[in-house]
Amino acid sequence: MPQHAPAMRVCRDCDGYASAMVTTGTRHPDGTRATLTVTCPTCKGTGHRTPTPGLARIGR
């Protein structure tokens, strides 16, 4: 039987969408829009939640 790896949990703050492109409203000389890339500060752009080393899960 194949062994399956445990699934990584999705970040609860960004819901798996770790980065977003935001337009600044200005345009470059060639006509394209200037954008900024914003990443989730909680998961640092991975989209997955990392286990906290200092906390233990208690109960069910």
Side-chain angles (χ1 to χ4, degrees):
M1 261 191 131
Q3 297 293 322
H4 298 287
M8 293 286 293
R9 298 216 175 192
V10 177
C11 176
R12 65 184 175 107
D13 292 332
C14 66
D15 201 28
Y17 296 98
S19 62
M21 298 295 287
V22 181
T23 61
T24 60
T26 59
R27 292 186 182 261
H28 293 289
D30 63 351
T32 59
R33 293 193 181 267
T35 58
L36 299 172
T37 303
V38 181
T39 58
C40 175
T42 304
C43 65
K44 297 182 179 45
T46 61
H48 299 290
R49 185 175 68 176
T50 56
T52 307
L55 299 176
R57 185 174 179 181
I58 299 173
R60 293 184 180 191

